Amino acid sequence: MAPMVGAFKRGSIVMTTTGPSLKRGDNQMRSFGSNPSTSRHFVPAHAAAIMAAIAISAGLQLSAAKADETRLQAPPATTGTCTLKTTEYSASAPEQTTGSTTFVNVGDGGSITFNQKKAGCIGGTFFANVGNELASDNVHLQVLLDGTTECAPMTTGDYVFANAGLDFSSHAVGFFCGTNIAQGSHTVQIQWSSGGGVGGTAQMYQHMLVVNHS
């Protein structure tokens, strides 16, 4: 069965961390800023008790977190703003398998080639029902832009997309390839491997790739 592909436009998708009120015709994903005049409009009053409980719980776990601080040295979050005008998608149902311990391309429905109309951001999401036949093995994933650029956060070569077991539970990951990608033709390719290196076979079916770009 051939993958279902397509593209659509409806206003803009704007990702931002701070800024003014929502613009008509735009969908926005916003994180809470430090300015009360902007944050308060996004926090329902009834959530105050929940937020307080989370804060208390976090305080109780602070000592344990500090104990792990030396081995959990993660870089600070990266934030920014992108206007993404077009969404491309590819959906596929046939089962795929791989026993490779190095990355190989996901075949049917695993890539999208598109035209970037102007320099800007490229990102997206990937969803799949996936698992590994061995209880001691797992499934690794990476996303490549134009065959070379590793899209964040899967830049270490050992990103575990699914744990062991053929329960074929649903898994999804968001990815971001860059902020100033040149205009012209580009390809986003999903790659996977049987990541544990113990001889298991990774299996995948019913998956969808979505790419958002300028």
Side-chain angles (χ1 to χ4, degrees):
M1 178 184 297
M4 179 178 63
V5 298
F8 63 88
K9 294 183 180 181
R10 187 178 182 86
S12 302
I13 300 175
V14 178
M15 297 187 295
T16 184
T17 55
T18 58
S21 301
L22 299 178
K23 298 183 291 182
R24 185 178 300 275
D26 288 356
N27 302 312
Q28 296 200 2
M29 295 181 287
R30 185 183 300 278
S31 61
F32 300 116
S34 59
N35 186 343
S37 65
T38 56
S39 299
R40 66 187 179 188
H41 297 296
F42 296 92
V43 183
H46 67 269
I50 297 175
M51 294 174 67
I54 293 173
I56 293 171
S57 176
L60 293 175
Q61 298 177 34
L62 184 58
S63 297
K66 285 188 174 181
D68 290 334
E69 187 174 358
T70 56
R71 65 184 181 86
L72 295 176
Q73 293 293 336
T78 300
T79 62
T81 300
C82 288
T83 300
L84 304 170
K85 295 284 188 180
T86 305
T87 297
E88 315 273 353
Y89 65 89
S90 179
S92 178
E95 182 182 9
Q96 300 184 47
T97 64
T98 183
S100 175
T101 56
T102 59
F103 284 115
V104 294
N105 290 345
V106 172
D108 188 60
S111 68
I112 293 177
T113 298
F114 57 93
N115 183 46
Q116 178 95 321
K117 292 186 177 180
K118 64 178 182 179
C121 298
I122 295 176
T125 57
F126 179 69
F127 155 86
N129 287 301
V130 63
N132 196 299
E133 67 175 3
L134 288 186
S136 57
D137 214 342
N138 52 40
V139 181
H140 286 184
L141 197 80
Q142 73 175 9
V143 182
L144 294 183
L145 175 67
D146 298 330
T148 56
T149 301
E150 296 176 336
C151 301
M154 294 155 284
T155 58
T156 61
D158 59 357
Y159 184 93
V160 177
F161 184 59
N163 292 317
L166 285 180
D167 59 351
F168 285 117
S169 56
S170 300
H171 300 270
V173 64
F175 59 87
F176 188 73
C177 303
T179 59
N180 193 31
I181 309 300
Q183 70 179 70
S185 179
H186 296 282
T187 298
V188 168
Q189 174 70 60
I190 306 297
Q191 295 191 321
W192 65 325
S193 70
S194 184
V198 295
T201 298
Q203 300 186 25
M204 176 189 301
Y205 75 106
Q206 291 179 339
H207 57 275
M208 174 177 279
L209 171 62
V210 175
V211 175
N212 301 309
H213 63 92
S214 300

